[in-house]
Structures are given as structure tokens and as C-alpha cells.
Amino acid sequence: MRWVYLAGPPYADEYRRRAAALVRRSGWDPVDPMRRDYRGRTQGREAELVAHDLADIRECDAVLAAFTAPDEGTSMEAWYAHSLGKPVVAYTGGSPPHPWTVYVATVVCADLEAAVTALTGLPPT
């Protein structure tokens, strides 16, 4: 099984639901960092939160990153995966991608279905 980390803003619940379903249908297993839902409880737990996310990214084969709204966490997760040589598929929701998004992404897609389809074409890591 191949694992994909679902990066995205903390309140992007609809993205996470749709992405997880599409990813499963494509033969990948989604890893959703929000399963540890720290929303509203991050103060004093920042190191724990980041350590878990970094470990998940290291264990995954790729990252699917929702760049539909500005989010520092999504940017850092994509950068970290890129620095490890892991493929990053960026989903923009139709917004023009930022130059840094283009730089770290293996592929940039305007819609989620195309982004998940791009995952299936990635070579094994």
C-alpha cells in the first residue's frame, strides 16, 4: 500500500473528506494529521504537534497539499516533503499558484480529482 499525507489548512474538513475518499478509490491510503485534532489546543503543544506531523510525512510516499487558502502549516509540510525528495501534489482549487508552491510541487492541479489522478502516475519512492 502507498501512503499519502493530506496537508491542508486545519479547518479544511471538506477537503479532507473528499481527498480521503478519492485517495482510497485510487489505491492509496490517506494519512490525515487532523486525526490528532489539536484545534484550539495547540498552545504549549507545538513541538508535539509538529513532531507527529513530520514523522507522518517521513513515513508517507507522497504529500497531497491543499493550497486553496494561505496556510503556514501546509507550506511547511510541503517544503519538508520536498526537502526529503518526496513527491508533492499541490491542489489549488483554481487559485493561481504561488511561485513557492510551484517550486516545491511535483505537479500543480486546479481541481482535487486531477490532483489525486496525478498521484496514481507517480513512480514508487
Side-chain angles (χ1 to χ4, degrees):
M1 188 57 64
R2 296 178 77 187
W3 299 90
V4 62
Y5 182 91
L6 303 179
Y11 293 95
D13 296 328
E14 181 60 23
Y15 153 72
R16 292 177 191 291
R17 279 191 293 277
R18 285 185 55 221
L22 290 167
V23 162
R24 283 188 190 97
R25 274 189 250 139
S26 74
W28 287 65
D29 267 338
V31 174
D32 185 355
M34 292 307 293
R35 70 189 185 281
R36 293 183 292 271
D37 195 350
Y38 285 95
R39 291 179 287 197
R41 302 178 296 117
T42 59
Q43 191 170 5
R45 301 178 77 188
E46 295 87 355
E48 175 187 352
L49 182 153
V50 172
H52 283 127
D53 291 351
L54 295 177
D56 282 349
I57 293 167
R58 284 192 303 273
E59 295 298 317
C60 284
D61 300 289
V63 169
L64 176 61
F67 284 102
T68 54
D71 179 65
E72 296 92 340
T74 304
S75 298
M76 296 301 291
E77 291 164 334
W79 174 258
Y80 183 65
H82 170 79
S83 74
L84 296 174
K86 296 189 181 274
V88 175
V89 175
Y91 155 58
T92 67
S95 299
H98 188 280
W100 276 88
T101 302
V102 174
Y103 180 81
V104 301
T106 306
V107 63
V108 177
C109 300
D111 67 77
L112 187 55
E113 291 80 6
V116 173
T117 298
L119 280 173
T120 64
L122 295 174
T125 55

